[in-house]
Amino acid sequence: MNGFKTTMLLAALTALFMALGFTLGGRAGMMLALLFAAGMNLFTFWNADKIVLRMHNAREVDEASAPEFVRLVRDLAMRAKLPMPKVYLIESPHPNAFATGRDPDHAAVAATTGLIDMLDRDEIAAVMAHELGHVRNRDTLIMTMVATIAGAISMLANFGLFFRGADGRGAGIAGLMAVFVAPFAAMIVQMAISRTREYGADRAGAEISGNPAALASALAKLERGARRIPNPVAERVPAASQLYIVPGLARRGDNMFSTHPDTANRIAELERLAQQMGSTTRTGTALASSSWPAQPVVAARPGVASVPRTGARRRPASALDPLRRD
């Protein structure tokens, strides 16, 4: 099904490029647009993950620079029976995370420093398990391609809005094209990225981490934080919003134009899943074999006193500290 949706997405993108090319340059413009679209489709297939990570200024980390975080992802990947993905940190106060890559062998997971500052140890584990659930369900290719392609369509629409034909009439036609192309690009995002994928990744994340209650708690915190703290990337490229575990742009409610299900509905599903799994407490099993400390993670910043969470004692700066440079 994912392959079929990807094919339909690429076909729709090609048709949009050709239509815009014909509007601006006739048959010659249409052929140039076809060639450009074919090249862009191929480039996006192989490089969409790099584009998205670069868009966020993501920094790859390893066991030397962020040992606890990388070991956490490694443990979860083993539980999920997945190859070890590349791990990235994004220095941003906006709390969010996403997965990308064309298949499990070329996957990457990323989290913002805002997320690490906001969540405790079990919640971080549950969020990263959710992202690995996307990888296991092979959602990442279509999610990443939609984000980059829809953004490109919007940019082309903006270009068409300011285009001036030799006879002076092109601006009006291209302007109308822009008016219709931009909403259609948003529709492609909605059709290609089924919101049921988030429910599927929530369930997979709960199974991988063994802690649906921690994922429910994390979603509630992230929803509040994402609504309060701006996301410059999502504001600049709205199509990127559908990549995240919670929407990158503030919104309320659950409707057909949403990239994500309503968070309250997702939490309710996780609570039902927790009852089925017999795990209604925040004490999960994801880190039972981990070398992490028992207390919640606190990303202490240089020169700022660490504030223990949920009654935890003060401790040295964690290796999860996003500002740490080893």
Side-chain angles (χ1 to χ4, degrees):
M1 181 60 71
N2 282 4
F4 175 75
K5 287 186 175 182
T6 301
T7 301
M8 293 301 296
L9 173 65
L10 298 180
L13 172 67
T14 303
L16 286 172
F17 269 101
M18 293 177 66
L20 188 56
F22 182 80
T23 301
L24 301 180
R27 290 179 180 271
M30 182 175 67
M31 292 306 299
L32 287 174
L34 175 60
L35 293 174
F36 181 75
M40 183 177 179
N41 289 345
L42 185 62
F43 178 82
T44 301
F45 178 82
W46 291 103
N47 297 283
D49 55 338
K50 300 180 183 66
I51 295 171
V52 171
L53 291 166
R54 192 176 301 117
M55 184 190 308
H56 289 83
N57 292 320
R59 172 173 61 91
E60 186 174 1
V61 293
D62 54 25
E63 291 200 47
S65 56
E68 292 183 16
F69 189 36
V70 172
R71 281 197 292 266
L72 167 67
V73 175
R74 188 183 303 278
D75 289 346
L76 293 169
M78 291 177 62
R79 292 172 65 96
K81 296 181 171 59
L82 288 170
M84 176 64 180
K86 293 183 178 180
V87 183
Y88 289 82
L89 280 174
I90 301 166
E91 295 190 14
S92 169
H94 177 85
N96 233 315
F98 63 85
T100 185
R102 62 182 182 270
D103 57 46
D105 290 321
H106 301 87
V109 293
T112 66
T113 55
L115 179 146
I116 289 173
D117 286 340
M118 182 174 293
L119 305 184
D120 68 29
R121 178 192 59 166
D122 289 338
E123 291 166 342
I124 294 172
V127 166
M128 302 317 294
H130 168 100
E131 299 307 332
L132 290 174
H134 277 305
V135 174
R136 192 173 73 178
N137 294 345
R138 295 182 177 268
D139 295 336
T140 51
L141 172 62
I142 186 69
M143 292 169 66
T144 306
M145 293 188 73
V146 164
T148 55
I149 291 173
I153 292 174
S154 298
M155 287 188 288
L156 280 180
N158 291 333
F159 170 77
L161 183 63
F162 293 101
F163 179 79
R164 291 291 188 274
D167 57 2
R169 292 180 297 177
I173 297 174
L176 288 175
M177 286 288 294
V179 169
F180 288 104
V181 167
F184 189 49
M187 288 177 61
I188 292 175
V189 173
Q190 304 307 325
M191 289 186 294
I193 302 296
S194 171
R195 284 152 58 238
T196 60
R197 292 173 187 267
E198 290 303 323
Y199 285 119
D202 285 345
R203 174 173 286 274
E207 292 171 353
I208 293 168
S209 69
N211 200 339
L215 182 54
S217 174
L219 288 176
K221 290 182 180 180
L222 293 175
E223 171 79 4
R224 291 192 298 268
R227 191 182 301 138
R228 186 180 71 253
I229 303 171
N231 183 337
V233 175
E235 290 173 357
R236 187 171 65 252
V237 185
S241 182
Q242 51 84 24
L243 289 171
Y244 307 122
I245 186 171
V246 296
L249 296 174
R251 63 120 182 108
R252 294 178 182 272
D254 197 353
N255 58 70
M256 64 181 296
F257 298 105
S258 301
T259 56
H260 293 65
D262 185 67
T263 302
N265 293 340
R266 294 171 67 184
I267 290 173
E269 287 293 325
L270 286 166
E271 289 173 347
R272 282 192 284 271
L273 182 59
Q275 292 178 352
Q276 294 173 9
M277 295 173 62
S279 173
T280 59
T281 69
R282 287 292 317 284
T283 304
T285 60
L287 301 177
S289 61
S290 171
S291 60
W292 280 40
Q295 63 271 32
V297 171
V298 179
R301 299 186 182 279
V304 179
S306 173
V307 180
R309 299 182 189 155
T310 62
R313 69 181 185 275
R314 294 179 182 273
R315 68 182 190 81
S318 168
L320 271 174
D321 183 356
L323 295 183
R324 174 172 173 165
R325 295 288 189 274
D326 292 340

